[in-house]
Every structure is written in structure tokens, then in C-alpha cells.
Amino acid sequence: MRAGLLLNLLLVVVVVIGVSLYSALKLGSNIIHPEKSEAEFPPETSTPATSIPVTSMPVSRPATSTTATLMPTTSMPAFSGLASTPATFTQYETSIINEIEANILCRGEKFSELPENDSRHIALDWLLHDDQMQLKLSDSNLNQRYILALLAYEWGHIFKASVNWLSDINECKWYGVTCNMDGNVNKLELERKNLTGTLPPEISGLPSLEILSLHDNSLFGPLPSELGQLTALTRLDLFGNQFNDTLPSELGQLKALAYLSMRSNQLTGTVPSELGSLKGLSELYLYSNYFIGTIPTEIGGLTSLTILYMYSNQFTGTIPSEMGLLKKLNQIDLSMNQLKGTLPSELGLLRELTYFSIYSNQISGTLPSWIGDLKALTYLWVQDNRLSNSVPSEIGELTSLTSLSMHSNQFTGTLPSELGNLRGLSEMYLHSNYFTGTIPSVIEELTLLTMLYIWSNQLTGTIPSEIGLLVELSEVDIGMNQLKGTLPSELGLLRKLTYFATNANEFTGNLPSSIGGLKDLEALWLHDNQFTGTFPSELGELTSLTALSMHSNQFTGTLPSELGRLRRLSELYLQSNYFNGTIPSEIGEWTFLTMLYIWSNQLTGTVPSEIGLLVELNKIDIGINQLNGTLPSELGLLKKLTYFAININQFTGTVPSVIGGLKDLETLRLNDNQFTGTFPSEIESNLNMKYLCLQNNNFTGTIPSNIETDDICD
């Protein structure tokens, strides 16, 4: 009997030694050398992983180093493969496999049916053979450790921002993972980590998960319906990925959900009506996807909702009246869809609304008077729709409004004087409508206004002098109306003005010299009016100016030398006036100029050689003047020139051959001058030349015939 006991003891010792040698060899084959210390990879989130209590740590584990090991994607534990038949598994392996198949694998999957390169297969191999914790079936964190390993292999790039995934420490301390006091994963936050791959349905095996935040990665594929099993979720944040297919209706089972963001993906199909069951949902972001169909009426069930962003999709139909049930709504954005119909009156019940945006749809009808009931509104954006009729006077009740945008509709009638009540208004965009009447003098009350856009209407009368009280104004565009009279000198008080446009009206008289006080002005558009008088020398004070357009008026006199002070000028349009005298040599200061249009004036003299300093010039048109002399050779320095017109002048001499070096030149108009000599062959060989006008000169020799001379030369 004693011999039998000794024999049995000897067999046990042999088995133990064998297992130990096998484990040592196995671990040795998978040693991973750290490339950087943990200190070199600080966490990117302000929410540290919660340490798991000692009492919930595994009962036993191999004695290993406690130093966290970096595991980049190129050094992930290799997959050695699982046996193909259950007979080759140990009893320990079989028990683990059965547990995971029964409780974690989804949709009836079996490991024996999975390809060996499947992340689920590889994660199992790591858990069985490479995980130094070697959890037992009785360990409560077995399943969640397997799931996190699965995510690690599915989202390989996680290791680029991690120092401890798939390491020997408890998974609750892995980067981006947080556990509750029971040791169960309740937060998984891996934002902006360049993760790729799909969202495995097995993530549903983390029943305590409250926060799943994976935004701004490159995850793709359909969203698994199993997400609906994560009933503890309060925050689901998957925006900024490449998820496609439809939004699972099972999300309606997440009764604890307070925050849902699926924006900026590639989701399609309709929004499931089941979302209306999320009574506790506070914020819903579905914008920038490809959703179609109507907005479900069940949305009225989201009675806790404060923010609803569904813009930039392909929604059709009308805005459901049930939205009026969302009494806590603070922000709505349904812009950039294909919504039609009128605004439902029930929206007037949303008394806590501060932001309302429906722009770029096909909403029709009137702007209803109930809009005045939304007294908390700070932003009202209804532009780019088909709204019509007059603006209701009740809009003056929106005294909290800071931004009002109603442009590009079909509004008619006068601008209501009640707009003067909006004393907090900073931006007002009313352009591209059919407003008539005058600009109301009550605008003097809008002392915080920075943006005033009322161009492209049918406004008449003059600019009220009260505009000078709006000292915060940065941009004013009142162009394309039927405004008359002179510009009020009070405009000079608007010292913060950067953009001022009065083009395409019927303004007359001289430009007020007070404009010279607008030192911050960058763009001044005065064209297509009936302004008279000389070019004010005070405009030379506008040293911030980049664009000046005064064409198609009745200006006279010479171009003042003070123009040379406009050294930031990029565009200058002075054509179709009655300017005389010479082109000032000070133009050499305009080294940023790209567009120079001074055609159809009465300019005389020669083209100054300083023009060669304007190396950024793209287009020059000085045609239809009385310029004479020869063309300066410095024109050859304008290498960016694509359009050059000097037609209908009195230029003489030969055309300088250096023009042939302007390889970007596409249009050259030399017609109706007094040029002599042969036409330079260098110009003819320019392959980019499309239009060449040479008629009515005194050229000799061969005239190019391979370049078009169509209507542009008439």
C-alpha cells in the first residue's frame, strides 16, 4: 500500500513539474519587451481609472513583475491557435471555453466554428495561455477580462495610446477602463485613439457598463443590436466614427440612457420609433448622418430631452407637432434636411427654448405670431426656406435674442419697428428677401449689433443717420436695394467696421471724408451707384483695406498718390468711371495686388514701370482709356498673370517679347492700339494662351492663327 502511495505521489510530482515547464516555455515564447515606460504615456483623460478593491482581486495568480508593459500593435501577443477538437483541451480550458460560449459569445457562435484569425478566437487563446493572471472559472472578472481582451485584438490601435492593456495587472486598471466598487467595468472611455475595427456584439457582456465613449475614432460597420442589453448605460457616445447601416431599434431598451450621440457617422435608414421610450434621455445628437424618412412622432415621448440635434441628414415630411410635448427642450437644430410644411403651433409651448434652427429646409407658410412666446430664445435661424408674408411684430418680444437669421426666404412687407426692442441683438441677417419700405430709425436701439446684412431686398429711402450709434458694428451690407441719397457722415463713427457694402443702389453725391476714420476697414464695396466727385484722399488712411470696389459710378478727377498707402490691397476695381490723369507710380506699393481693373476711364500717360513690382497680379484690365507710349519690359516680371487687357488705347512701339515668358497667360487683348513691328514668336508659342486679340494695330509679318479670336475681341 505504501508503495502505491509513493507511486501516486511520484506521478503527481512529475505532472506538476511538467506543467510548470510547459508554462515557463509558453510564457518565455511570448515575452514582450517594453519600448517606453508608463510615465512616457500620460493618460489623455482627466477621469482616472478607479482602483478595484483588494477584496475583489483574483484569489491566486502567478508571481510576476508589477511593472506595466507597453504593448504596441506590432508586439501584441501572438496567436498560437486552439485545438480543433474538444479532446485536445484540458479540463481547465474546456470549462473556460464553455463559460464564454454560454455567457459571452453572441448569436449562437461557437469557438470551433470561428476562423483562427477572428479576434474572439485570438482573445481566448490569450486568456488561456498568455494571460499571466490565469483566472479560474470561479473568478468573477473572467468574462469581462475576456471581453476587454477581445476589444484589444479587434481595435489594435488601442496599444498606441496605452501602457497596460493585456498586461498582468487587473483589467480595471487598464487605460480608459473604470470599475465600480464591485470590480465590474462601468466605464469604457477610449476617445481619439485611432481605433479601427468593428464594435463586437460581445460588449453586451459588460452588464454594469454605464458609460461607453468611443468618439472620434475610425470604428466601422453596423452597430450591434446587442447594445440594447447594456441596460445600465447612461451615456452612449459613438460620434465621429464610420458606423453605417441603421440605428438598432433595441436602443429603445436603454431606459437609463441620458446621453446619446451618434453624430458624424454614416448611419442610414429611418430613426427607430423605439427611441421614444427613452424617457430619461436628456441629450440626443444624430446630426451629420444619412438618415431618411420622417421624424418619428414618438419623439414626443422624450419628455426629459433638453437638446435635440438632427441637422445635416435627409429627413423629409413635416416637423411633428408632438415636439410641443418636449417642455424641457433648450436647443433644437433640424437644419439642412428636406423638411416641408409649416411650423406647428405646438412649438410655441417650448418656453425654455434658447436655440431654434431649421435653416436649409423647405419650410413654407408664415413665421407664426407664437414665435413671440419663446421669450428665452437667443438664436433664431430660419434662413434658406420658403417662408413668406410679413415678419410678425411679436418678434419684438424676443428680448433675449442675440442672433436673428431670416435670409433667403420670401418675406415681404416692411421691417417691423419692433425690431428695435431686440437690444441684445448681435447678428441680424435679413438679406435675399422682398422687404420694402425704409430702414427703420429704431435700429439706433441695437447698440450691440456687430453684423447687419439686409442686402438684396427692395428697401428704399436713405441710410438713417442713427446708424452711427451702432459703434459695435463690424460688418454692414445694404447692397442691392433701391436706397438713395448721400452716405451719412456718421458712418465715420463706426470704428470697428471691417466690411461695408452699399453696391447696386442709387446713392449719389460725394463720399464723406469721415470714411477715412475707419482704420479697421478691410473691404469697401461702393460700385454700381451714382456717386460723383473726386476720389477722396482720405481713403489712403484705410491701411487695412484688402478689397476696394468703386466701379460703375461717376467719379472724376485723378487717382490720388495716397492710394500707395494701401499696401495690403489685393483687389482694386475702379472701372467705368471718369477718372483722368496718369496712373500713379505709387502703385508699386501694392505688392499684394491680384486684381487691377481700371478700364473705361479717361486715363492718360504711360504704364509706369513700377507695375513690375506687383508680382502677385493675376488679372489686369486697363483698356478703354487714353494711355500711350510703349509697354514697359517690367511686365515680364508678372509671372502669375492670366489675363492682360490694354485694348482701345493709344499704345505704340513693339510688343515686348518678355510677355512670352508669362506662361500662365490665357488672355491677351492688345487690339485697337498703334502697335508696330512683328508680333513676338515667344507669345505665339505660349501653350496656355486661349484668347489673343490683335486687330486694328500696325503689325507686320505673320499674325498667329492658331489661337482663338472669338467674341472676346469684339
Side-chain angles (χ1 to χ4, degrees), residues 674-704:
Q674 301 174 25
F675 288 115
T676 57
T678 58
F679 188 77
S681 59
E682 294 87 348
I683 298 177
E684 184 178 359
S685 62
N686 185 347
L687 298 179
N688 286 324
M689 188 73 71
K690 296 179 180 178
Y691 303 105
L692 178 62
C693 304
L694 303 176
Q695 70 270 24
N696 300 324
N697 280 287
N698 298 313
F699 289 117
T700 58
T702 303
I703 301 298

Side-chain angles (χ1 to χ4, degrees), residues 342-417:
T342 59
L343 294 176
S345 59
E346 290 80 2
L347 293 179
L349 302 174
L350 306 180
R351 303 304 171 86
E352 297 186 18
L353 207 59
T354 63
Y355 179 91
F356 183 52
S357 178
I358 57 168
Y359 71 87
S360 295
N361 278 286
Q362 301 170 28
I363 305 295
S364 58
T366 63
L367 186 64
S369 59
W370 55 253
I371 200 75
D373 295 331
L374 307 181
K375 299 189 188 313
L377 269 184
T378 58
Y379 281 78
L380 177 58
W381 288 7
V382 298
Q383 70 268 24
D384 287 307
N385 278 287
R386 299 175 181 176
L387 296 170
S388 58
N389 292 336
S390 58
V391 176
S393 59
E394 288 82 358
I395 201 168
E397 301 294 324
L398 306 181
T399 54
S400 297
L401 212 58
T402 61
S403 182
L404 173 62
S405 184
M406 303 169 60
H407 71 79
S408 306
N409 277 287
Q410 301 170 21
F411 287 117
T412 58
T414 60
L415 299 178
S417 59

Side-chain angles (χ1 to χ4, degrees), residues 323-352:
M323 277 193 180
L325 300 173
L326 310 182
K327 302 297 179 58
K328 294 183 180 180
L329 263 181
N330 183 263
Q331 299 178 32
I332 299 179
D333 198 331
L334 306 177
S335 306
M336 294 186 284
N337 282 288
Q338 302 169 28
L339 298 172
K340 298 182 179 180
T342 59
L343 294 176
S345 59
E346 290 80 2
L347 293 179
L349 302 174
L350 306 180
R351 303 304 171 86
E352 297 186 18

Side-chain angles (χ1 to χ4, degrees), residues 494-536:
L494 308 180
R495 300 305 173 91
K496 295 183 180 181
L497 210 58
T498 61
Y499 176 87
F500 183 56
T502 65
N503 56 290
N505 278 286
E506 301 173 16
F507 290 111
T508 57
N510 297 339
L511 296 181
S513 59
S514 61
I515 287 182
L518 307 180
K519 308 293 186 184
D520 291 337
L521 202 61
E522 298 175 3
L524 179 58
W525 301 90
L526 305 172
H527 53 273
D528 288 299
N529 279 285
Q530 300 172 26
F531 289 118
T532 57
T534 59
F535 198 111

Side-chain angles (χ1 to χ4, degrees), residues 1 125 151 193 235 258 315 340 451 496 526 557 572 669 709:
M1 179 175 181
D125 181 61
L151 298 181
K193 296 297 177 291
R235 184 182 183 93
F315 289 118
K340 298 182 179 180
M451 313 285 281
K496 295 183 180 181
L526 305 172
L572 180 60
R669 301 183 65 178
T709 58

Side-chain angles (χ1 to χ4, degrees), residues 480-642:
M480 301 172 67
N481 280 286
Q482 301 168 27
L483 298 170
K484 299 181 180 181
T486 59
L487 297 183
S489 60
E490 289 81 359
L491 287 172
L493 301 174
L494 308 180
R495 300 305 173 91
K496 295 183 180 181
L497 210 58
T498 61
Y499 176 87
F500 183 56
T502 65
N503 56 290
N505 278 286
E506 301 173 16
F507 290 111
T508 57
N510 297 339
L511 296 181
S513 59
S514 61
I515 287 182
L518 307 180
K519 308 293 186 184
D520 291 337
L521 202 61
E522 298 175 3
L524 179 58
W525 301 90
L526 305 172
H527 53 273
D528 288 299
N529 279 285
Q530 300 172 26
F531 289 118
T532 57
T534 59
F535 198 111
S537 59
E538 291 83 358
L539 290 185
E541 302 294 324
L542 307 181
T543 53
S544 297
L545 212 59
T546 61
L548 175 59
S549 182
M550 301 171 61
H551 72 79
S552 305
N553 279 285
Q554 300 174 25
F555 289 114
T556 57
T558 60
L559 300 179
S561 59
E562 288 83 357
L563 281 176
R565 300 179 60 184
L566 308 181
R567 293 182 175 87
R568 297 184 182 180
L569 208 59
S570 174
E571 302 174 49
L572 180 60
Y573 306 97
L574 302 179
Q575 70 269 22
S576 299
N577 280 288
Y578 299 97
F579 290 120
N580 55 42
T582 61
I583 300 174
S585 59
E586 287 80 3
I587 68 169
E589 302 291 337
W590 300 336
T591 53
F592 293 104
L593 201 66
T594 62
M595 312 285 281
L596 176 59
Y597 279 35
I598 51 177
W599 56 272
S600 190
N601 279 284
Q602 299 173 9
L603 298 174
T604 57
T606 61
V607 177
S609 59
E610 288 81 358
I611 200 169
L613 300 173
L614 312 185
V615 293
E616 298 297 323
L617 268 176
N618 182 259
K619 294 182 179 180
I620 301 177
D621 196 331
I622 55 176
I624 318 178
N625 279 286
Q626 300 170 28
L627 299 169
N628 54 42
T630 59
L631 295 182
S633 60
E634 288 80 359
L635 288 171
L637 301 174
L638 308 181
K639 301 298 184 180
K640 296 183 179 181
L641 210 58
T642 63

